[in-house]
Amino acid sequence: MYIDNIYTLYTDIHSVLDRGDKLNINVSNSSTIPLYEQIQNQIKAQILSGCLTPGEGLPSIRNLAKELKVSIITTKRAYEELEKEGFLQTVAGKGTFVAQQNTERLKEMAMYEIESKLEEIIKQAKSVGVSLEEGIEIFKSIYEEV
């Protein structure tokens, strides 16, 4: 598979966050997923996995845009969407931080979204005659590849 224009951001978080972990964001211009959504999904995943914890700061919209070589509007939209979903909070004059919200509730919301998407896929699979065993095999195969 050929991937064109992937930019990776490994921010030295010592200056941005309270700890020395790395914020890892990869964006691809050739992906069918919009850039803001790629950024949003990766930050959300790092929050849900515990890589980013409540109260930790994120790079400014401007710095993130510069590092990823994307528009400020793109990073602003990603941050705004994450704020709407309760993952981030912005404090005027101080920056953007991982929200203090209950992590379990955020995981529950993410699970609901996954279940809804799986339900849609299962309906589509059933409509073309895919058996449960075949579906499980497809799921396992893709799961192991990702």
Coordinates of all heavy atoms in Angstrom, one line a residue, residues 25-113:
I25 N 0.5 11.8 16.4 CA -0.6 12.0 15.5 C 0.0 11.8 14.1 O 0.9 12.4 13.7 CB -1.2 13.4 15.6 CG1 -1.8 13.6 17.0 CG2 -2.3 13.7 14.5 CD1 -2.4 15.0 17.3
N26 N -0.7 11.0 13.3 CA -0.4 10.7 11.9 C -1.5 11.2 11.0 O -2.6 10.8 11.3 CB -0.1 9.3 11.6 CG 1.0 8.7 12.4 OD1 2.1 9.1 12.3 ND2 0.7 7.7 13.2
V27 N -1.2 12.0 10.0 CA -2.3 12.4 9.1 C -1.8 12.1 7.7 O -0.7 12.2 7.4 CB -2.7 13.9 9.2 CG1 -3.3 14.2 10.5 CG2 -1.5 14.8 9.0
S28 N -2.8 11.7 6.9 CA -2.5 11.4 5.5 C -3.4 12.2 4.5 O -4.6 12.1 4.7 CB -2.7 9.9 5.2 OG -2.6 9.6 3.9
N29 N -2.8 12.9 3.6 CA -3.6 13.7 2.6 C -4.3 12.8 1.7 O -5.3 13.2 1.0 CB -2.7 14.6 1.9 CG -2.1 15.7 2.7 OD1 -2.8 16.1 3.7 ND2 -1.0 16.2 2.4
S30 N -3.9 11.5 1.5 CA -4.5 10.6 0.5 C -5.7 9.8 1.1 O -6.3 9.1 0.4 CB -3.5 9.7 -0.1 OG -2.9 8.9 0.9
S31 N -5.9 9.9 2.4 CA -7.0 9.2 3.1 C -8.3 9.8 2.7 O -8.4 11.0 2.4 CB -6.8 9.3 4.6 OG -7.9 8.7 5.3
T32 N -9.4 8.9 2.7 CA -10.7 9.4 2.4 C -11.3 10.1 3.7 O -12.3 10.8 3.6 CB -11.6 8.3 2.0 OG1 -11.6 7.3 3.0 CG2 -11.1 7.6 0.7
I33 N -10.7 9.9 4.8 CA -11.1 10.5 6.1 C -10.6 12.0 6.1 O -9.4 12.2 5.9 CB -10.6 9.7 7.3 CG1 -11.2 8.3 7.2 CG2 -11.0 10.4 8.6 CD1 -10.6 7.3 8.2
P34 N -11.5 12.9 6.4 CA -11.0 14.3 6.4 C -9.9 14.5 7.5 O -9.9 13.8 8.5 CB -12.2 15.1 6.9 CG -13.4 14.2 6.5 CD -12.9 12.8 6.6
L35 N -9.0 15.4 7.2 CA -7.8 15.6 8.1 C -8.3 15.9 9.5 O -7.7 15.4 10.5 CB -6.9 16.8 7.6 CG -6.2 16.5 6.3 CD1 -5.5 17.7 5.8 CD2 -5.2 15.4 6.5
Y36 N -9.3 16.8 9.7 CA -9.7 17.2 11.1 C -10.2 15.9 11.8 O -10.0 15.8 13.0 CB -10.8 18.2 11.1 CG -12.2 17.7 10.8 CD1 -13.0 17.4 11.9 CD2 -12.7 17.6 9.5 CE1 -14.3 16.9 11.7 CE2 -14.0 17.1 9.3 CZ -14.8 16.7 10.4 OH -16.0 16.3 10.2
E37 N -10.8 15.0 11.1 CA -11.4 13.8 11.7 C -10.2 12.8 12.0 O -10.3 12.1 13.1 CB -12.4 13.1 10.7 CG -13.3 12.2 11.4 CD -14.4 11.7 10.5 OE1 -15.0 12.6 9.7 OE2 -14.7 10.5 10.5
Q38 N -9.2 12.8 11.2 CA -8.0 12.0 11.5 C -7.4 12.4 12.8 O -7.1 11.6 13.7 CB -7.0 12.0 10.4 CG -7.4 11.4 9.1 CD -6.3 11.5 8.0 OE1 -5.2 11.3 8.3 NE2 -6.7 12.0 6.8
I39 N -7.2 13.7 13.0 CA -6.6 14.3 14.2 C -7.6 14.0 15.4 O -7.1 13.6 16.4 CB -6.4 15.8 14.0 CG1 -5.4 16.1 12.9 CG2 -6.0 16.5 15.4 CD1 -5.3 17.5 12.4
Q40 N -8.8 14.3 15.2 CA -9.8 14.1 16.3 C -9.8 12.6 16.7 O -9.8 12.4 17.9 CB -11.2 14.5 15.7 CG -12.4 14.2 16.6 CD -13.7 14.5 15.9 OE1 -13.7 15.1 14.8 NE2 -14.8 14.1 16.5
N41 N -9.9 11.7 15.8 CA -9.9 10.3 16.2 C -8.7 9.8 16.9 O -8.8 9.0 17.9 CB -10.1 9.4 14.9 CG -11.5 9.6 14.3 OD1 -12.4 10.0 14.9 ND2 -11.6 9.2 13.0
Q42 N -7.5 10.3 16.5 CA -6.3 9.9 17.2 C -6.2 10.5 18.6 O -5.7 9.8 19.5 CB -5.1 10.3 16.3 CG -5.1 9.4 15.1 CD -3.9 9.8 14.1 OE1 -2.8 9.7 14.5 NE2 -4.3 10.2 12.9
I43 N -6.6 11.7 18.8 CA -6.5 12.3 20.1 C -7.5 11.6 21.0 O -7.2 11.3 22.2 CB -6.8 13.9 20.1 CG1 -5.6 14.6 19.4 CG2 -7.0 14.4 21.5 CD1 -5.8 16.0 19.1
K44 N -8.7 11.4 20.5 CA -9.7 10.7 21.3 C -9.2 9.3 21.7 O -9.4 8.9 22.9 CB -11.0 10.5 20.4 CG -12.2 9.9 21.2 CD -13.4 9.6 20.3 CE -13.9 10.7 19.5 NZ -15.2 10.4 18.8
A45 N -8.6 8.6 20.8 CA -8.1 7.2 21.1 C -7.0 7.3 22.2 O -7.0 6.5 23.1 CB -7.5 6.6 19.9
Q46 N -6.2 8.3 22.2 CA -5.1 8.5 23.2 C -5.7 8.8 24.5 O -5.2 8.4 25.6 CB -4.1 9.5 22.7 CG -3.2 9.0 21.6 CD -2.2 9.9 21.1 OE1 -1.5 10.5 21.9 NE2 -2.1 10.1 19.8
I47 N -6.8 9.6 24.5 CA -7.5 9.9 25.8 C -8.1 8.6 26.4 O -8.0 8.3 27.5 CB -8.5 11.0 25.6 CG1 -7.8 12.3 25.3 CG2 -9.4 11.1 26.9 CD1 -8.7 13.4 24.9
L48 N -8.9 7.9 25.5 CA -9.6 6.7 26.0 C -8.6 5.6 26.4 O -8.9 4.8 27.3 CB -10.5 6.1 24.9 CG -11.7 7.0 24.6 CD1 -12.4 6.5 23.3 CD2 -12.6 7.0 25.8
S49 N -7.4 5.5 25.8 CA -6.4 4.5 26.2 C -5.6 4.9 27.4 O -4.9 4.1 28.0 CB -5.5 4.2 25.1 OG -4.6 5.3 24.9
G50 N -5.8 6.2 27.9 CA -5.0 6.6 29.1 C -3.7 7.2 28.8 O -3.0 7.6 29.7
C51 N -3.3 7.3 27.5 CA -2.0 8.0 27.1 C -2.1 9.4 27.5 O -1.1 10.0 27.9 CB -1.7 7.8 25.7 SG -1.3 6.2 25.2
L52 N -3.3 10.0 27.3 CA -3.5 11.4 27.8 C -4.5 11.4 28.9 O -5.6 10.8 28.7 CB -4.0 12.3 26.6 CG -3.1 12.4 25.4 CD1 -3.9 13.1 24.3 CD2 -1.9 13.2 25.8
T53 N -4.2 12.0 30.0 CA -5.0 11.9 31.2 C -5.7 13.3 31.5 O -5.2 14.3 31.0 CB -4.3 11.4 32.4 OG1 -3.2 12.3 32.6 CG2 -3.8 10.0 32.2
P54 N -6.8 13.3 32.2 CA -7.5 14.5 32.6 C -6.5 15.6 33.1 O -5.7 15.3 33.9 CB -8.5 14.1 33.6 CG -8.8 12.6 33.2 CD -7.4 12.1 32.8
G55 N -6.7 16.8 32.6 CA -5.9 17.9 33.0 C -4.7 18.2 32.2 O -4.0 19.2 32.3
E56 N -4.3 17.2 31.4 CA -3.1 17.4 30.6 C -3.3 18.3 29.5 O -4.4 18.3 28.8 CB -2.6 16.1 30.1 CG -2.0 15.2 31.2 CD -1.3 14.0 30.6 OE1 -2.0 13.1 30.1 OE2 -0.1 13.9 30.7
G57 N -2.3 19.2 29.2 CA -2.5 20.2 28.1 C -2.1 19.6 26.7 O -1.3 18.6 26.6
L58 N -2.7 20.2 25.7 CA -2.4 19.8 24.3 C -1.7 21.0 23.7 O -1.8 22.1 24.1 CB -3.7 19.5 23.6 CG -4.4 18.2 24.1 CD1 -5.7 18.1 23.3 CD2 -3.6 17.0 24.0
P59 N -1.0 20.7 22.5 CA -0.4 21.8 21.8 C -1.5 22.9 21.4 O -2.6 22.5 21.2 CB 0.2 21.2 20.6 CG 0.3 19.7 20.9 CD -0.8 19.4 21.9
S60 N -1.1 24.1 21.2 CA -2.0 25.1 20.8 C -2.5 24.7 19.3 O -1.8 24.0 18.6 CB -1.4 26.5 20.7 OG -0.4 26.6 19.7
I61 N -3.6 25.3 19.0 CA -4.1 25.0 17.6 C -3.1 25.4 16.6 O -2.8 24.7 15.6 CB -5.5 25.8 17.4 CG1 -6.6 25.2 18.3 CG2 -5.9 25.8 16.0 CD1 -7.8 26.0 18.4
R62 N -2.5 26.6 16.8 CA -1.5 27.1 15.8 C -0.3 26.1 15.7 O 0.2 25.8 14.7 CB -1.1 28.5 16.2 CG -0.4 29.3 15.2 CD -0.1 30.7 15.7 NE -1.4 31.4 16.1 CZ -2.0 32.2 15.3 NH1 -1.5 32.5 14.2 NH2 -3.1 32.8 15.7
N63 N 0.2 25.7 16.9 CA 1.4 24.9 16.9 C 1.1 23.5 16.3 O 2.0 23.0 15.6 CB 2.0 24.7 18.3 CG 2.7 25.9 18.8 OD1 3.1 26.8 18.1 ND2 2.9 26.0 20.1
L64 N 0.0 22.9 16.6 CA -0.4 21.6 16.1 C -0.5 21.7 14.5 O 0.0 20.9 13.8 CB -1.7 21.1 16.7 CG -2.1 19.7 16.2 CD1 -1.1 18.7 16.6 CD2 -3.5 19.4 16.9
A65 N -1.2 22.8 14.1 CA -1.3 23.0 12.6 C 0.1 23.1 11.9 O 0.3 22.5 10.9 CB -2.1 24.2 12.3
K66 N 1.0 23.8 12.6 CA 2.3 24.0 12.0 C 3.1 22.7 11.9 O 3.7 22.4 10.9 CB 3.1 25.1 12.8 CG 4.4 25.4 12.3 CD 5.1 26.4 13.2 CE 6.6 26.6 12.8 NZ 7.3 27.5 13.7
E67 N 3.0 21.9 13.0 CA 3.8 20.7 13.1 C 3.2 19.6 12.1 O 4.0 18.9 11.5 CB 3.7 20.1 14.5 CG 4.5 20.9 15.5 CD 6.0 20.9 15.2 OE1 6.6 19.9 14.8 OE2 6.6 22.0 15.4
L68 N 1.9 19.6 11.9 CA 1.3 18.6 11.0 C 1.2 19.1 9.6 O 0.8 18.4 8.7 CB -0.1 18.3 11.5 CG -0.2 17.5 12.8 CD1 -1.7 17.3 13.3 CD2 0.5 16.2 12.7
K69 N 1.6 20.4 9.4 CA 1.5 21.0 8.1 C 0.1 21.0 7.5 O -0.2 20.6 6.4 CB 2.5 20.3 7.1 CG 3.9 20.5 7.5 CD 4.8 19.8 6.5 CE 6.3 20.0 6.8 NZ 6.8 19.6 8.1
V70 N -0.9 21.4 8.4 CA -2.3 21.5 8.0 C -2.8 22.9 8.3 O -2.1 23.6 9.1 CB -3.2 20.4 8.7 CG1 -2.8 19.0 8.3 CG2 -3.2 20.6 10.2
S71 N -3.9 23.2 7.9 CA -4.5 24.6 8.2 C -4.9 24.7 9.6 O -5.3 23.7 10.3 CB -5.7 24.8 7.2 OG -6.8 25.2 7.9
I72 N -4.8 25.9 10.1 CA -5.3 26.2 11.5 C -6.8 25.9 11.6 O -7.2 25.4 12.6 CB -5.0 27.7 11.8 CG1 -3.5 27.9 12.0 CG2 -5.7 28.1 13.1 CD1 -3.1 29.4 12.1
I73 N -7.5 26.1 10.5 CA -9.0 25.8 10.6 C -9.2 24.3 10.8 O -10.1 23.9 11.5 CB -9.6 26.2 9.2 CG1 -9.6 27.8 9.1 CG2 -11.0 25.7 9.1 CD1 -9.9 28.3 7.8
T74 N -8.3 23.4 10.2 CA -8.4 22.0 10.4 C -8.2 21.6 11.8 O -9.0 20.8 12.4 CB -7.4 21.3 9.5 OG1 -7.6 21.6 8.1 CG2 -7.4 19.8 9.7
T75 N -7.2 22.1 12.5 CA -6.9 21.7 13.9 C -8.0 22.4 14.8 O -8.4 21.7 15.8 CB -5.5 22.1 14.3 OG1 -5.3 23.5 14.1 CG2 -4.4 21.3 13.6
K76 N -8.4 23.5 14.5 CA -9.5 24.2 15.3 C -10.7 23.4 15.2 O -11.3 23.1 16.3 CB -9.7 25.6 14.7 CG -10.7 26.4 15.5 CD -10.8 27.8 15.0 CE -11.5 28.8 15.8 NZ -12.9 28.7 16.0
R77 N -11.1 22.8 14.1 CA -12.3 22.0 14.0 C -12.1 20.7 14.8 O -13.1 20.3 15.5 CB -12.6 21.7 12.5 CG -13.9 20.9 12.4 CD -14.5 20.9 11.0 NE -15.7 20.2 11.0 CZ -16.3 19.7 9.9 NH1 -15.7 20.0 8.7 NH2 -17.4 19.0 9.9
A78 N -11.0 20.1 14.7 CA -10.7 18.9 15.5 C -10.9 19.1 17.0 O -11.6 18.4 17.7 CB -9.3 18.3 15.2
Y79 N -10.3 20.2 17.5 CA -10.4 20.6 18.9 C -11.8 20.9 19.3 O -12.3 20.5 20.3 CB -9.5 21.7 19.2 CG -8.0 21.4 19.5 CD1 -7.4 20.2 19.0 CD2 -7.2 22.2 20.2 CE1 -6.1 19.9 19.3 CE2 -5.9 21.9 20.5 CZ -5.3 20.8 20.0 OH -4.0 20.5 20.3
E80 N -12.5 21.6 18.4 CA -13.9 22.0 18.7 C -14.8 20.8 18.8 O -15.7 20.7 19.7 CB -14.4 23.0 17.6 CG -13.9 24.4 17.7 CD -14.3 25.3 16.6 OE1 -14.9 24.8 15.6 OE2 -14.1 26.5 16.7
E81 N -14.6 19.8 17.9 CA -15.4 18.6 17.9 C -15.1 17.8 19.2 O -16.1 17.3 19.8 CB -15.1 17.7 16.6 CG -15.6 18.4 15.3 CD -17.1 18.5 15.2 OE1 -17.8 17.6 15.7 OE2 -17.5 19.5 14.6
L82 N -13.9 17.7 19.5 CA -13.5 17.0 20.8 C -14.1 17.7 22.0 O -14.5 17.0 23.0 CB -12.0 16.8 20.9 CG -11.4 15.8 19.9 CD1 -9.9 16.0 19.8 CD2 -11.7 14.4 20.3
E83 N -14.1 19.0 21.9 CA -14.7 19.7 23.1 C -16.2 19.5 23.2 O -16.7 19.3 24.3 CB -14.4 21.2 22.9 CG -14.6 22.0 24.2 CD -13.9 23.4 24.2 OE1 -13.3 23.7 23.2 OE2 -14.1 24.1 25.2
K84 N -16.9 19.5 22.0 CA -18.3 19.2 22.0 C -18.6 17.8 22.6 O -19.7 17.6 23.2 CB -18.9 19.2 20.5 CG -19.1 20.6 20.0 CD -19.6 20.5 18.6 CE -19.5 21.8 17.8 NZ -19.8 21.6 16.4
E85 N -17.7 16.9 22.3 CA -17.9 15.5 22.7 C -17.5 15.3 24.2 O -17.7 14.2 24.8 CB -17.2 14.5 21.9 CG -17.7 14.4 20.4 CD -16.9 13.5 19.6 OE1 -16.2 12.6 20.1 OE2 -16.9 13.6 18.4
G86 N -16.9 16.3 24.8 CA -16.5 16.3 26.2 C -15.1 15.7 26.5 O -14.8 15.5 27.6
F87 N -14.3 15.6 25.4 CA -13.0 15.1 25.6 C -12.0 16.2 26.0 O -11.0 15.9 26.6 CB -12.5 14.4 24.3 CG -13.2 13.0 24.1 CD1 -14.3 12.9 23.3 CD2 -12.6 11.9 24.7 CE1 -14.9 11.7 23.1 CE2 -13.2 10.7 24.5 CZ -14.4 10.6 23.7
L88 N -12.2 17.4 25.5 CA -11.3 18.5 25.7 C -12.0 19.7 26.4 O -13.3 19.8 26.2 CB -10.6 19.0 24.4 CG -9.8 18.0 23.7 CD1 -9.2 18.7 22.4 CD2 -8.7 17.4 24.5
Q89 N -11.3 20.5 27.0 CA -11.8 21.8 27.5 C -10.8 22.9 27.2 O -9.6 22.6 27.4 CB -12.2 21.8 29.0 CG -11.1 21.5 29.9 CD -11.6 21.3 31.3 OE1 -12.5 20.6 31.6 NE2 -10.9 22.0 32.3
T90 N -11.3 24.0 26.8 CA -10.4 25.1 26.5 C -10.5 26.2 27.6 O -11.7 26.6 27.9 CB -10.7 25.7 25.1 OG1 -10.5 24.7 24.1 CG2 -9.7 26.9 24.8
V91 N -9.4 26.7 28.1 CA -9.4 27.8 29.1 C -8.8 29.0 28.4 O -7.6 28.9 28.0 CB -8.6 27.3 30.3 CG1 -8.6 28.5 31.3 CG2 -9.2 26.1 30.9
A92 N -9.6 30.0 28.3 CA -9.1 31.2 27.6 C -7.8 31.7 28.2 O -7.7 31.8 29.5 CB -10.1 32.3 27.7
G93 N -6.8 32.0 27.4 CA -5.5 32.4 27.8 C -4.6 31.4 28.4 O -3.4 31.7 28.7
K94 N -5.1 30.2 28.6 CA -4.2 29.1 29.2 C -4.0 27.9 28.2 O -3.0 27.3 28.3 CB -4.9 28.6 30.5 CG -4.9 29.7 31.5 CD -5.1 29.1 32.9 CE -5.1 30.2 33.9 NZ -4.6 29.9 35.2
G95 N -5.0 27.6 27.4 CA -4.8 26.5 26.5 C -5.9 25.5 26.5 O -7.0 25.7 27.1
T96 N -5.6 24.4 25.8 CA -6.6 23.3 25.7 C -6.1 22.1 26.5 O -4.9 21.8 26.4 CB -6.8 22.9 24.2 OG1 -7.2 24.1 23.5 CG2 -7.8 21.8 24.0
F97 N -7.0 21.5 27.2 CA -6.6 20.4 28.1 C -7.6 19.3 28.0 O -8.7 19.4 27.6 CB -6.7 20.9 29.6 CG -5.8 22.1 29.9 CD1 -6.3 23.4 29.6 CD2 -4.5 21.9 30.3 CE1 -5.4 24.5 29.8 CE2 -3.7 23.0 30.5 CZ -4.1 24.3 30.3
V98 N -7.1 18.1 28.4 CA -8.0 16.9 28.4 C -9.0 17.2 29.5 O -8.6 17.6 30.6 CB -7.2 15.6 28.7 CG1 -8.1 14.4 28.8 CG2 -6.1 15.4 27.6
A99 N -10.3 17.0 29.2 CA -11.3 17.3 30.1 C -11.3 16.4 31.4 O -10.8 15.2 31.3 CB -12.7 17.1 29.5
Q100 N -11.7 16.9 32.5 CA -11.7 16.2 33.7 C -12.9 15.2 33.8 O -13.1 14.6 34.9 CB -11.8 17.2 34.9 CG -10.7 18.1 35.0 CD -9.4 17.4 35.5 OE1 -9.4 16.3 36.1 NE2 -8.3 18.0 35.3
Q101 N -13.6 15.0 32.7 CA -14.8 14.2 32.7 C -14.4 12.7 33.0 O -13.3 12.3 32.8 CB -15.5 14.3 31.4 CG -16.9 13.7 31.4 CD -17.6 14.0 30.1 OE1 -16.9 13.9 29.0 NE2 -18.9 14.3 30.1
N102 N -15.4 12.0 33.5 CA -15.3 10.6 33.8 C -14.8 9.8 32.6 O -15.6 9.7 31.6 CB -16.6 10.1 34.3 CG -16.6 8.6 34.8 OD1 -15.7 7.9 34.4 ND2 -17.6 8.3 35.6
T103 N -13.7 9.1 32.6 CA -13.1 8.3 31.5 C -14.1 7.2 31.2 O -14.2 6.8 30.0 CB -11.7 7.8 31.9 OG1 -10.9 8.9 32.3 CG2 -11.1 7.2 30.7
E104 N -14.6 6.6 32.2 CA -15.5 5.4 32.0 C -16.7 5.9 31.1 O -17.2 5.1 30.3 CB -16.0 4.8 33.3 CG -15.0 4.0 34.0 CD -14.4 2.9 33.1 OE1 -15.2 2.1 32.5 OE2 -13.1 2.8 33.0
R105 N -17.3 7.0 31.4 CA -18.4 7.6 30.6 C -18.0 7.8 29.2 O -18.7 7.5 28.2 CB -18.9 8.8 31.2 CG -20.0 9.5 30.5 CD -21.3 8.7 30.5 NE -22.3 9.3 29.7 CZ -23.1 8.7 28.7 NH1 -23.0 7.4 28.6 NH2 -23.9 9.4 28.0
L106 N -16.8 8.3 29.0 CA -16.3 8.5 27.6 C -16.1 7.2 26.9 O -16.5 7.1 25.7 CB -15.0 9.3 27.6 CG -15.0 10.7 28.2 CD1 -13.6 11.3 28.2 CD2 -15.9 11.6 27.3
K107 N -15.6 6.2 27.6 CA -15.5 4.9 27.0 C -16.8 4.3 26.6 O -17.0 3.6 25.6 CB -14.7 3.9 27.9 CG -13.2 4.2 27.9 CD -12.5 3.1 28.7 CE -11.0 3.5 28.8 NZ -10.2 2.5 29.6
E108 N -17.8 4.5 27.5 CA -19.2 4.0 27.3 C -19.7 4.6 26.0 O -20.4 4.0 25.2 CB -20.0 4.3 28.5 CG -21.4 3.7 28.4 CD -22.2 4.0 29.7 OE1 -21.7 3.9 30.8 OE2 -23.4 4.4 29.5
M109 N -19.5 5.9 25.9 CA -20.0 6.6 24.7 C -19.3 6.1 23.4 O -20.0 5.9 22.4 CB -19.8 8.1 24.8 CG -20.6 8.8 25.8 SD -20.2 10.5 26.3 CE -19.7 11.3 24.7
A110 N -18.0 5.8 23.5 CA -17.3 5.3 22.3 C -17.8 3.9 22.0 O -18.0 3.5 20.8 CB -15.8 5.3 22.6
M111 N -18.1 3.1 23.0 CA -18.6 1.7 22.8 C -20.0 1.8 22.1 O -20.3 1.0 21.3 CB -18.7 0.9 24.1 CG -17.4 0.5 24.7 SD -16.5 -0.7 23.5 CE -17.6 -2.1 23.6
Y112 N -20.8 2.7 22.5 CA -22.1 2.8 21.9 C -22.0 3.1 20.4 O -22.7 2.6 19.6 CB -22.9 3.9 22.6 CG -24.3 4.2 21.9 CD1 -25.3 3.4 22.1 CD2 -24.4 5.3 21.1 CE1 -26.5 3.6 21.5 CE2 -25.6 5.5 20.4 CZ -26.7 4.7 20.6 OH -27.8 4.9 20.0
E113 N -21.1 4.0 20.1 CA -20.8 4.4 18.7 C -20.3 3.2 17.9 O -20.8 2.9 16.8 CB -19.8 5.5 18.7 CG -19.6 6.1 17.3 CD -18.6 7.2 17.3 OE1 -18.6 8.0 18.3 OE2 -17.8 7.3 16.3

